[in-house]
Amino acid sequence: MSLTTEYTTADGFKLNLNTGLFINNEFVAGSSTIDTINPSTGKVIASVQAAESKEVNLAVEAAHKAFYGGWKTSSPRERSRLMHKLADLVERDSDELAHIETLDNGKPLNDSKTFDVPGLVSQLRYFAGVTDKVHGKVIETQGKLSYTVHEPIGVCGGIIPWNFPLNMFSWKIAPAIATANTVVIKTSELTPLSALKVAALIKEAGFPPGVLNVITGYGHIAGDALARHDKVGKIAFTGSTAIGRLIMKAAAETNLKKVTLELGGKSPNIIFDDVQNLDEVVFWSRLGIYMNAGQVCCAGSRIFVQEGIYDQFIEKFKALASTGKVGNPYEATTFQGPQISEKQFERVMGYIEAGKQEGATCLLGGNRVGDSGYFIEPTIFTDVTPKMKIMQEEIFGPVVAISKFTDVDDVIEKAHDTSYGLAAAVFTSNITRAVTVSNRLEAGTVWVNCYNQISENAPFGGYKQSGFGRENSVYALENYTQVKAIKINIGLQ
Ligand code: NAD
């Protein structure tokens, strides 16, 4: 059986796609297959091998063997060398990886080239740099020498979504392997292809078999089997709140594996009337909601504008949003690609319909673009009220709700009227206001005078029902290590 498929992208790039499961450094067949669809056309790209509990078990056993067979005690220098080598190979094949990401996910090729692939490299290099900086402490305890060591957990499972396939992959694997854990990562069944390309590079880089295993499969089958496996010591999940609850339940019902969750949001973007350059505010606000076709967990989907500049903001925001070209992601001028799938397309269109039904004004967009693929116009709703569905639920599409506020207390109350707390933004020229409002906001990240600025060396994660645990930066190391206290009676002969 062939575990590769040849494909030529719309811009003429020839790809040889891996379609097997990557277990123990080999591509192998699964118990079933899943067709992965090009969201720009709605047509099948390739049929990939899907893991069921049998293959999940094989992958976990391989990771378990690799952990106890030497990776657990591998030198920090060796782990760092391998991670840098993998980053070198990703850079070498960056054009190919960017084309695969755009093919499978639909995001503009320019974004894949400038954001997604470099993001993978940055994560690998950042965590390659911390392998030898995971230190314990020496603690004075009544005559005994006490010290702590930070040890790896063992086999770590990762379950990732489809919106940033390479980035989410890197956020899970880099801190895990840097701290001497081994990994089984399940990619989204909607976007398996780019991680399978990286899998080939993992082998080429020289990682020992079993250290990094990449599988795909349906969530309720492969994801559930991973979340329930007794030899998995930790699971890191990014995706919907509903599935996040199931992951916690699976962990609770089995071996109480450690869990971290990153679950999306309904982030407020707050614009005060003292801003000096409204064009810049409009630029960031548009990026905040329409980047990646709105399929961003921290998307600024609720914009609150102070009443004095509301009309002016609306006029400029609408003008800029209408210029964003929606369509073929391989064209250099395209700003917005398709939604990931027919299901997501229908879901987003359902929210647009709900907004209209509940009495909001659809100021811009609201329609499908073209007759093939899953493209939706950038959409703006005004005249919204706090309890409308489009103000409460995560839409995960190019749809923003814009409303007015009077003062700080008013906007804080409105911003907090959500079960989520992933991110927020404040636009103001007043430093005191920037700091006091940032301090009051219940969100894991607050951007001031910018939006969607995420870096590998600053923590990212949620308050409230946006999840718990921090990814990126040294904060992420806490998720992948356990602390042991050793106490030595130095007086005993
Ligand atoms: P999802 O939560 O269903 O899927 C995310 C991952 O979880 C996928 O790999 C999936 O296969 C897996 N999964 C699904 N069911 C599982 C189960 N029972 N056990 C274990 N793993 C399981 O997300 P989705 O369907 O891809 O998207 C639905 C909504 O989730 C979106 O509209 C959006 O609101 C949210 N979402 C959030 C993010 C984020 O970055 N926070 C990313 C994608 C989706």
Side-chain angles (χ1 to χ4, degrees):
M1 181 202 310
S2 170
L3 295 176
T4 57
T5 299
E6 290 184 355
Y7 193 96
T8 303
T9 61
D11 65 340
F13 199 99
K14 288 196 185 344
L15 296 167
N16 194 16
L17 302 165
N18 297 318
T19 55
L21 303 168
F22 185 74
I23 299 175
N24 221 15
N25 271 9
E26 300 298 337
F27 285 101
V28 297
S31 289
S32 52
T33 58
I34 295 175
D35 286 345
T36 182
I37 309 287
N38 179 349
S40 302
T41 62
K43 299 208 170 96
V44 174
I45 304 167
S47 191
V48 296
Q49 299 296 313
E52 297 189 3
S53 59
K54 178 180 151 210
E55 291 80 22
V56 170
N57 194 43
L58 282 175
V60 173
E61 288 295 346
H64 191 256
K65 194 163 160 226
F67 181 71
Y68 289 105
W71 189 253
K72 179 184 180 190
T73 50
S74 58
S75 75
R77 192 176 292 169
E78 176 62 359
R79 294 197 298 278
S80 179
R81 188 188 70 76
L82 287 167
M83 293 177 76
H84 276 303
K85 176 74 183 162
L86 180 57
D88 291 344
L89 296 176
V90 170
E91 282 179 332
R92 182 197 69 190
D93 293 350
S94 59
D95 209 15
E96 186 183 349
L97 266 166
H99 274 82
I100 298 174
E101 195 76 326
T102 288
L103 173 66
D104 214 12
N105 169 281
K107 64 182 70 201
L109 184 61
N110 195 37
D111 291 5
S112 296
K113 283 185 174 176
T114 58
F115 184 84
D116 297 80
V117 178
L120 165 61
V121 173
S122 308
Q123 286 282 335
L124 288 169
R125 295 211 189 281
Y126 176 84
F127 284 102
V130 302
T131 56
D132 57 357
K133 298 172 190 68
V134 183
H135 300 301
K137 292 178 179 165
V138 176
I139 302 163
E140 180 57 46
T141 49
Q142 294 152 345
K144 314 285 181 301
L145 171 62
S146 299
Y147 63 96
T148 57
V149 285
H150 295 194
E151 297 190 329
I153 293 167
V155 180
C156 294
I159 299 180
I160 55 173
W162 40 262
N163 55 342
F164 291 96
L166 282 175
N167 271 278
M168 294 299 105
F169 180 81
S170 69
W171 288 23
K172 304 291 183 260
I173 67 158
I177 53 174
T179 45
N181 297 282
T182 56
V183 175
V184 176
I185 184 157
K186 191 200 86 63
T187 56
S188 167
E189 59 274 32
L190 299 175
T191 52
L193 295 173
S194 55
L196 290 174
K197 166 67 191 172
V198 181
L201 303 182
I202 287 167
K203 183 169 181 175
E204 188 181 342
F207 279 89
V211 168
L212 277 163
N213 304 276
V214 184
I215 59 174
T216 198
Y218 290 116
H220 64 286
I221 300 173
D224 185 62
L226 190 59
R228 289 183 180 278
H229 204 292
D230 277 339
K231 284 189 178 162
V232 173
K234 185 241 153 50
I235 201 113
F237 171 80
T238 299
S240 62
T241 308
I243 303 300
R245 286 184 210 284
L246 293 182
I247 301 287
M248 281 192 84
K249 195 160 171 259
E253 285 172 357
T254 54
N255 64 341
L256 283 176
K257 53 182 66 65
K258 299 169 202 330
V259 174
T260 46
L261 302 175
E262 203 268 87
L263 304 177
K266 192 74 185 167
S267 299
N269 176 8
I270 300 168
I271 298 159
F272 284 96
D273 64 7
D274 61 25
V275 290
Q276 273 166 15
N277 188 334
L278 197 55
D279 290 327
E280 272 184 31
V281 178
V282 167
F283 166 85
W284 286 113
S285 302
R286 179 230 207 174
L287 185 78
I289 180 60
Y290 298 127
M291 179 185 168
N292 213 37
Q295 303 167 130
V296 182
C297 49
C298 50
S301 51
R302 293 179 300 147
I303 299 182
F304 297 102
V305 188
Q306 201 161 18
E307 49 196 5
I309 56 164
Y310 180 82
D311 292 340
Q312 220 186 329
F313 176 85
I314 291 281
E315 192 186 323
K316 283 179 181 281
F317 187 82
K318 183 180 170 193
L320 187 66
S322 355
T323 62
K325 190 171 153 199
V326 182
N328 180 356
Y330 293 99
E331 277 178 25
T333 49
T334 295
F335 177 78
Q336 186 187 309
Q339 308 312 120
I340 188 67
S341 64
E342 189 170 1
K343 187 172 154 208
Q344 281 299 111
F345 172 86
E346 296 296 348
R347 193 168 171 270
V348 175
M349 291 307 284
Y351 277 111
I352 291 172
E353 194 48 41
K356 291 175 181 168
Q357 293 287 330
E358 288 185 310
T361 302
C362 185
L363 190 70
L364 180 75
N367 304 303
R368 178 173 208 150
V369 178
D371 2 293
S372 63
Y374 313 122
F375 299 92
I376 299 177
E377 290 174 334
T379 300
I380 301 173
F381 276 104
T382 53
D383 301 317
V384 289
T385 53
K387 296 302 171 205
M388 285 180 180
K389 263 178 97 166
I390 57 168
M391 284 291 275
Q392 288 293 326
E393 296 180 22
E394 186 179 40
I395 298 175
F396 231 61
V399 181
V400 69
I402 310 181
S403 55
K404 289 180 198 173
F405 70 91
T406 52
D407 57 16
V408 170
D409 286 341
D410 181 37
V411 79
I412 291 286
E413 190 184 329
K414 286 176 167 151
H416 288 171
D417 188 8
T418 168
S419 58
Y420 292 111
L422 189 56
V426 185
F427 287 87
T428 177
S429 300
N430 179 326
I431 183 69
T432 306
R433 179 173 281 165
V435 173
T436 52
V437 174
S438 298
N439 285 347
R440 284 181 68 181
L441 282 166
E442 292 173 349
T445 295
V446 180
W447 289 293
V448 176
N449 295 337
C450 58
Y451 209 101
N452 275 344
Q453 300 304 289
I454 294 176
S455 51
E456 64 282 355
N457 58 351
F460 186 82
Y463 276 32
K464 295 159 80 176
Q465 291 184 40
S466 289
F468 49 84
R470 292 292 175 270
E471 299 192 286
N472 298 344
S473 82
V474 288
Y475 285 90
L477 301 174
E478 290 166 22
N479 303 332
Y480 293 96
T481 51
Q482 43 198 351
V483 178
K484 180 184 282 174
I486 298 176
K487 300 182 178 186
I488 303 174
N489 184 354
I490 42 181
L492 190 69
Q493 298 300 314

